[in-house]
């Protein structure tokens, strides 16, 4: 019997419930990715004569108001001479930059030269309409051709081929071989995932043509937006921003495998489910086979014609799903990231119709309100202090698996245990790696756009929001790394919207906590959130976090986005992002990269830098002092929240990374160059750590491990600016698991130099270092104007005076380097010695190599911007990809506040 057309079914059913293929560690064997061979062109540059498209306007004159027929564009062999090449995923602007039509918009003020990018500087473009004359006001066509996938085990009449779109921004008409699969009214929403049964529309021989007409988002669309951390490309991210692919199966398809853990140690009860769909107009009988770890279960299933059904395997019917002493999944530092295989297959008369494979973790995440009303999360019953940062993708939504892996390696290296996604949902590989690394993920919708202008929502907006949530939850819920879903960011949704969201989450068996928003404002249905969004976002001194007094963004409660303001990149990055003529003094080119809205300048940061360290003498001096500012600021924030756990229950640094070259809010810059912010955060995030308290001068040891440390030695030395020891103390203590131990206080010292130093050490019973820490302090402490606090800053009346650093004598260090290769990883060990009687401050190492002699990036340095006391020697290790050397011998460069080097380079091994 001939298969009926599936297009009507897809539009009536699948567009109401859009889905994505199951998460998999490696691609399906029956998947054909449609990533290469695309071309794009503006509809305004196509001519239609007598209903037929004739090509590109040679003169460049735009033709508007003419409907270009997709039936012609989606015919194999349609000429695309003069179109722009593209590789999917891609936005329009990303493709035009890649083919050289536009210059690199990330350099200097090049972005302003792109058509349609002349919106007012400092304004949030997502809130503005496309400018008149912008080439992105019209629709753009994305087109490719491909061969029909080869048939599998079933005869051609029994196979189903499905076309998947995992992300279109914002609306689209989709055509295949002259047939329109969906219209712009049916494909709408950046975060929805679409599937179309195209079995009857593929050609048995020859090529198929797929043409997608994409329409840009408007101000009142639930689209992809950026807010104040960077500008927006002039196309507003219009394009196919996630994968396009075909999957082939037999008559019954499988998707959305899912495991929910009910944990009551030492027993875990697993509930396992998968969605089945009969793609035919006939009854289909078969056997569903599940392998859950080492457990195998089979059930007979009969599906009515075109039936979709979720089959749930429960432990009360299948006692094999009751696991004793399970191997649990834990976040980083709390335990191992045990992952187990989950395989489903469906067999019809002994032939596999479809199969899925994914991995899952046996774990349970819960949350509660503490007695103080703060949100506290638990993993497998144990409390966890959330310490994370906010993620952003590339401004043009370009995605690189290699770059993503490098960034998550940075997250793990710093010791962060959480990433927050404010919208901008990442692809499967991101969450798979988060599962492997033990990095928790807070996911949810974005602020400051139509996503939170609910009073302006139409019925269509409401439907798009619910289906967007459905699409994302179906793919996210399986990952053990998912910590929580946030239904909004800055403002909780109104009752109707929140209720709709909660119903979708309940229907899809979301296994984790849900927050109404990232702010403290209570919601009508879910009540208090237990989190806060009180700022700051501008520069504040290190003492802020422990002297807040429980009113603002200090170290109490759960701060969902907060930070010490601007993070100026190192000098090498400034040279990559700014024209040489604009490197100094600071000009409009700098400020163009300083954020938008009220964050479009560096004034407060610069005033503080000058007051604390002295006026910068040039760009190099300014950039280095900026690293010290960032180091102290990020270290202090993370240390404060750690000292106050679990009165402080979580902190999310705003932000982790950059969407483009930026002067604000990151822990590492867009070039993946770790600077002072990175190493200050890494120092504070040590799983066992010794630290100083700015409020009461106490020395504290924080243990983030789930085991105690006995007989550890805590020592403190206080030096004046000339390195005369003015105080010293050491004590041997036992540190409880996941504990905080206040060890002793530093007394007030009379006659101390204005700038002075505190050196802390933590050693185990064998004398091995567990933690080192070094502070530059001042007898003139920062004085804050708390009464003038706003959501983004607390002004400083008097700054700490650290200008005594300028009196440090120059120190020549000795350095030796050993290099070796371990598989595809290079390892460099740098031994640095201070033979002098003076302090060597903020010693900074870089590794140079490769064909162009540039810095090796990404790279994992054990430590950086570190001090060396008189006579002290340290070995610092760096790890990197051998391929980045391009066969060259690596060279270590050293600089710092007051240092030069007499080096011995290098020794190579392996």
């Amino acid at each position: 019997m001939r298969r009926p057309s599936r297009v009507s079914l897809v539009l009536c059913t699948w567009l109401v419930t859009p889905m994505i293929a199951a998460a998999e560690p490696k691609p399906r064997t029956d998947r054909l990715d449609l990533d290469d061979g695309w071309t794009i062109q503006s509809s305004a540059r196509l001519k239609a004569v007598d209903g037929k498209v004739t090509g590109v306007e040679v003169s460049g004159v735009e033709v508007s108001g003419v409907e270009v027929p997709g039936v012609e564009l989606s015919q194999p062999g349609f000429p695309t001479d003069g179109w722009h090449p593209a590789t999917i995923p891609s936005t329009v602007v990303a493709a035009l930059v890649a083919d050289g039509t536009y210059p690199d918009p990330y350099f200097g003020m090049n972005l302003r030269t792109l058509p349609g990018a002349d919106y007012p500087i400092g304004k949030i473009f997502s809130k503005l309409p496309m400018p008149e004359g912008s080439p992105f006001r019209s629709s753009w066509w994305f087109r490719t051709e491909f061969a029909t996938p080869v048939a599998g085990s079933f005869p051609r009449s029994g196979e189903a081929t499905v076309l998947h779109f995992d992300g279109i921004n914002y609306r689209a008409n989709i055509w295949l071989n002259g047939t329109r699969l969906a219209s712009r009214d049916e494909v709408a929403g950046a975060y929805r995932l679409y599937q179309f049964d195209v079995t009857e529309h593929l050609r048995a021989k020859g090529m198929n043509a797929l043409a997608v007409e994409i329409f840009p988002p408007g101000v009142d669309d639930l689209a992809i937006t950026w807010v104040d951390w960077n500008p927006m490309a002039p196309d507003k991210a219009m394009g196919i921003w996630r994968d396009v692919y075909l999957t082939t199966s037999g008559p019954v398809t499988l998707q959305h495998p899912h495991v929910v853990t009910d944990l009551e140690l030492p027993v875990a009860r697993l509930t396992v489910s998968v969605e089945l769909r009969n793609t035919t107009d006939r009854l289909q009988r078969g056997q569903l086979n599940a392998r859950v770890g080492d457990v195998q279960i089979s059930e007979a299933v009969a599906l009515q014609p075109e039936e979709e059904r979720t089959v749930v395997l429960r432990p009360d019917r299948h006692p094999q799903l009751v696991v004793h002493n399970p191997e649990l999944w834990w976040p980083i530092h709390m335990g191992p990231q045990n992952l187990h295989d989950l395989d489903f297959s469906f067999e019809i008369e002994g032939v596999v119709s479809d199969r899925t494979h994914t991995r899952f973790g046996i774990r349970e995440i819960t949350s509660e309100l503490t007695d103080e009303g703060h949100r506290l999360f638990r993993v497998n019953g144990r409390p966890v202090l959330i310490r994370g940062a906010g993620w952003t993708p590339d401004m043009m939504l370009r995605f690189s698996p290699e770059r993503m892996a490098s960034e998550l390696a940075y997250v793990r290296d710093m010791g962060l245990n959480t990433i927050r996604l404010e919208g901008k949902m990442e692809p499967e590989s991101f969450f798979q790696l988060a599962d492997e690394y033990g990095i928790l993920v807070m996911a949810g919708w974005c602020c400051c756009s139509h996503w939170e202008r609910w009073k302006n929502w139409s019925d269509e907006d409401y439907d798009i929001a619910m289906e967007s949530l459905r699409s994302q939850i179906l793919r996210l819920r399986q990952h053990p790394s998912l910590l929580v879903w946030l239904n909004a960011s800055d403002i909780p949704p109104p009752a109707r919207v929140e209720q709709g969201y909660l119903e979708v989450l309940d229907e899809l068996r979301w296994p984790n906590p849900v927050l109404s928003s990232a702010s403290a404002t209570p919601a009508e249905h879910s009540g208090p959130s237990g989190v806060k969004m009180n700022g700051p976002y501008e520069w504040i001194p290190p003492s802020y976090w422990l002297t807040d007094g429980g009113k603002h963004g200090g170290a109490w409660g759960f701060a969902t986005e907060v930070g010490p303001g601007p993070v100026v990149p190192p000098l090498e990055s400034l040279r990559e992002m700014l024209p040489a003529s604009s490197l100094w003094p600071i000009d409009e080119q700098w400020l163009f990269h300083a954020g938008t809205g009220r964050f479009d300048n560096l004034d407060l940061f610069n005033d503080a830098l000058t007051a604390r360290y002295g006026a910068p003498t040039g760009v190099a001096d300014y950039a280095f002092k900026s690293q010290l500012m960032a180091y102290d600021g990020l270290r202090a924030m993370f240390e404060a929240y750690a000292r106050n756990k679990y009165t402080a229950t979580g902190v999310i640094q705003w932000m982790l990374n950059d969407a483009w070259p930026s002067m604000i809010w990151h822990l590492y810059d867009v070039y993946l160059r770790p600077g002072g912010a990175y190493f200050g955060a890494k120092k504070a995030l040590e799983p066992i750590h010794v630290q100083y308290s700015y409020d009461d001068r106490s020395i504290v040891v924080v243990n983030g491990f789930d085991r105690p440390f006995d007989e550890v030695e805590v020592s403190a030395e206080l030096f004046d600016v000339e390195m005369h020891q003015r105080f010293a103390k050491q004590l041997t203590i036992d540190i409880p698991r996941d504990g905080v131990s206040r060890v002793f206080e530093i007394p007030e010292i009379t006659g101390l130099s204005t700038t002075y130093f505190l050196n802390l050490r933590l050693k185990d019973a064998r004398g091995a270092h567990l933690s080192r820490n070094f502070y530059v302090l001042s007898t003139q402490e920062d004085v804050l104007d708390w009464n003038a606090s706003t959501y983004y800053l607390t002004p400083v009346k008097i700054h700490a005076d650290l200008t005594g650093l300028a009196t440090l004598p120059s120190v020549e260090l000795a350095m030796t380097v050993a290099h070796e290769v371990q598989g595809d990883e290079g390892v460099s060990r740098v031994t640095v010695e201070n033979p002098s009687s003076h302090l060597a401050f903020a010693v900074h190492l870089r590794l140079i190599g490769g064909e162009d002699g540039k810095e090796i990036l990404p790279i994992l340095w054990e430590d950086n911007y570190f001090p060396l006391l008189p006579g002290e020697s340290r070995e610092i290790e760096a790890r990197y990809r051998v391929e980045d050397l391009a066969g060259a011998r690596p060279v270590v460069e050293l600089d710092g506040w007051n240092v030069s080097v007499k080096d011995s380079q290098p020794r190579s091994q392996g």
Side-chain angles (χ1 to χ4, degrees), residues 62-128:
E62 294 187 351
V63 180
S64 59
V66 178
E67 182 178 353
V68 179
V71 66
E72 296 292 332
L73 284 166
S74 62
Q75 296 295 336
F78 176 83
T80 57
D81 297 340
W83 288 41
H84 302 273
T87 299
I88 301 301
S90 180
T91 62
V92 173
V93 165
L96 298 179
V97 169
D99 79 349
T101 300
Y102 298 151
D104 175 10
Y106 291 1
F107 182 74
M109 296 184 71
N110 280 356
L111 178 61
R112 300 290 292 172
T113 70
L114 271 60
D118 54 349
Y119 55 89
I121 292 179
K123 297 295 184 181
I124 298 175
F125 187 37
S126 62
K127 296 182 178 181
L128 302 175

Side-chain angles (χ1 to χ4, degrees), residues 773-827:
N773 216 342
F774 186 86
Y775 296 82
V776 182
L777 301 171
S778 176
T779 57
Q780 172 55 67
E781 297 181 350
D782 293 289
V783 179
L784 292 98
D785 187 357
W786 294 105
N787 292 330
S789 296
T790 69
Y791 81 90
Y792 63 95
L793 90 156
T794 295
V796 180
K797 295 179 179 179
I798 301 174
H799 289 281
D801 181 359
L802 308 180
T803 57
L805 285 167
T807 67
L808 292 180
S810 297
V811 174
E812 184 178 65
L813 304 177
M815 180 175 72
T816 59
V817 183
H819 306 292
E820 65 176 294
V821 175
Q822 298 178 358
D824 58 1
E825 187 175 62
V827 180

Side-chain angles (χ1 to χ4, degrees), residues 815-893:
M815 180 175 72
T816 59
V817 183
H819 306 292
E820 65 176 294
V821 175
Q822 298 178 358
D824 58 1
E825 187 175 62
V827 180
S828 295
R829 295 181 178 89
V830 186
T831 301
V832 190
E833 180 184 2
N834 178 7
S836 78
S837 59
H838 307 293
L839 172 69
F841 180 58
V843 179
H844 173 232
L845 302 172
R846 299 193 305 148
L847 189 70
I848 306 300
E851 294 178 347
D852 53 7
K854 289 186 177 181
E855 187 173 359
I856 297 298
L857 297 171
I859 190 168
L860 301 178
W861 282 104
E862 178 186 355
D863 198 3
N864 229 327
Y865 298 96
F866 56 89
L868 285 175
L869 273 60
E872 185 178 13
S873 175
R874 287 193 64 186
E875 181 182 274
I876 307 295
E877 182 179 274
R879 292 183 174 269
Y880 47 90
R881 297 179 303 223
V882 171
E883 64 185 64
D884 291 341
L885 295 175
R889 170 177 286 184
V891 175
V892 174
E893 292 186 349

Side-chain angles (χ1 to χ4, degrees), residues 8 16 24 30 78 104 111 286 358 370 383 444 467 523 563 616 782:
S8 60
V16 174
E24 299 166 354
D30 60 354
F78 176 83
D104 175 10
L111 178 61
T358 188
T370 67
E467 294 310 317
D782 293 289

Side-chain angles (χ1 to χ4, degrees), residues 690-692 697-700 713-719 725-731 743-747 757-762 773 775 869:
V690 61
Q691 63 187 59
Y692 170 74
R697 302 174 63 86
S698 63
I699 304 304
V700 176
E713 180 187 279
V714 184
S715 64
E717 296 176 284
L718 191 145
F719 300 93
Q725 188 184 87
R726 301 296 304 276
F727 171 80
K729 186 172 183 176
Q730 69 181 44
L731 199 64
V743 186
F744 51 79
E745 294 182 3
I746 303 297
F757 310 117
L758 179 63
N759 184 49
L760 304 180
R761 295 289 186 266
L762 180 67
N773 216 342
Y775 296 82
L869 273 60

